[in-house]
């Protein structure tokens, strides 16, 4: 498995990402993640929709909380042909608790806790800490990457407007 040293920083410390770097124009790798009800979800479950993949280290941190809340607030801008998926290593039960406590109903939280294949397939698994690097990926209806932001400093927020504008142009 490929490793990219110093690909991002976490509070200023260089981190290694596991997996090949995903690029705009590439076909998105399939995934199997776990929903809050413990059911499996794959990319095929969202076929025909424009997808924002909001990848966060953990919902129980302030920046991840903010990122997920902001996408939850703005998800309606995509209409019925778009979906926002928040993906983390958090256990599905923790994601469910977070969604209930915050009233988040416009994003779907999915977990890569079982086998960590999403993080490696998308090149966003942080080797040193076993979490996912903060990334926002927009996929078109055919699962082609149309926008990608790997946030250089994991503790900083992404550019919400750029991702939403890219997604809205596709719906």
């Amino acid at each position: 498995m490929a490793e990219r040293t110093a690909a991002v920083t976490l509070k200023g410390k260089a981190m290694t990402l596991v997996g090949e770097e995903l690029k705009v124009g590439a076909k998105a790798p399939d995934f199997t993640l776990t929903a809050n009800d413990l059911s499996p979800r794959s990319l095929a479950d969202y076929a025909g929709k424009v997808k924002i993949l909001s990848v966060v280290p953990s919902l129980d941190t302030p920046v991840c909380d903010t990122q997920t809340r902001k996408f939850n607030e703005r998800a309606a801008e995509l209409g019925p042909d778009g979906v926002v998926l928040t993906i983390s290593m958090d256990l599905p039960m923790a994601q469910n608790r977070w969604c209930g406590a915050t009233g988040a109903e416009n994003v779907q939280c999915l977990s890569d806790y079982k086998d960590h294949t999403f993080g490696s397939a998308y090149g966003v698994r942080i080797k040193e800490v076993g979490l996912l690097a903060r990334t926002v990926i927009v996929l078109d209806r055919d699962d082609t990457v149309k926008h990608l932001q790997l946030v250089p400093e994991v503790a900083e927020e992404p550019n919400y407007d750029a991702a939403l504008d890219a997604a809205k142009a596709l719906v």
Side-chain angles (χ1 to χ4, degrees):
M1 180 77 44
E3 291 188 0
R4 300 176 350 258
T5 57
V8 294
T9 58
L10 178 60
K11 297 185 179 179
K13 183 177 178 191
M15 297 283 134
T16 304
L17 294 183
V18 176
E20 295 293 331
E21 182 178 4
L22 193 61
K23 305 245 188 221
V24 171
K27 198 70 157 168
D30 196 10
F31 57 71
T32 299
L33 296 166
T34 305
N36 293 349
D37 64 1
L38 300 179
S39 65
R41 292 286 191 278
S42 72
L43 194 53
D45 290 320
Y46 307 97
K49 291 195 177 280
V50 171
K51 296 155 280 292
I52 295 179
L53 308 183
S54 174
V55 183
V56 299
S58 175
L59 290 170
D60 287 325
T61 62
V63 178
C64 299
D65 176 272
T66 297
Q67 178 174 333
T68 307
R69 285 176 188 261
K70 285 189 179 183
F71 276 121
N72 183 63
E73 291 167 5
R74 298 192 59 193
E77 295 175 28
L78 302 177
D81 293 332
V83 63
V84 178
L85 307 175
T86 294
I87 302 166
S88 72
M89 289 288 198
D90 294 308
L91 292 174
M93 293 71 74
Q95 290 179 338
N96 192 43
R97 177 194 44 75
W98 184 91
C99 288
T102 62
E105 296 178 350
N106 300 319
V107 297
Q108 294 180 37
C109 291
L110 302 172
S111 178
D112 192 27
Y113 86 99
K114 272 189 180 178
D115 56 19
H116 314 282
T117 57
F118 173 88
S120 297
Y122 280 71
V124 297
R125 185 167 65 86
I126 304 173
K127 179 179 179 179
E128 292 83 355
V129 295
L131 298 172
L132 302 176
R134 187 173 318 284
T135 311
V136 179
I137 304 164
V138 176
L139 305 178
D140 69 10
R141 296 171 195 268
D142 297 318
D143 300 328
T144 300
V145 178
K146 294 298 188 178
H147 170 86
L148 187 144
Q149 181 191 12
L150 173 64
V151 180
E153 168 53 56
V154 176
E156 294 179 358
E157 293 178 58
N159 183 335
Y160 304 104
D161 290 334
L164 286 158
D165 288 347
K168 287 190 285 189
L170 300 168
V171 290

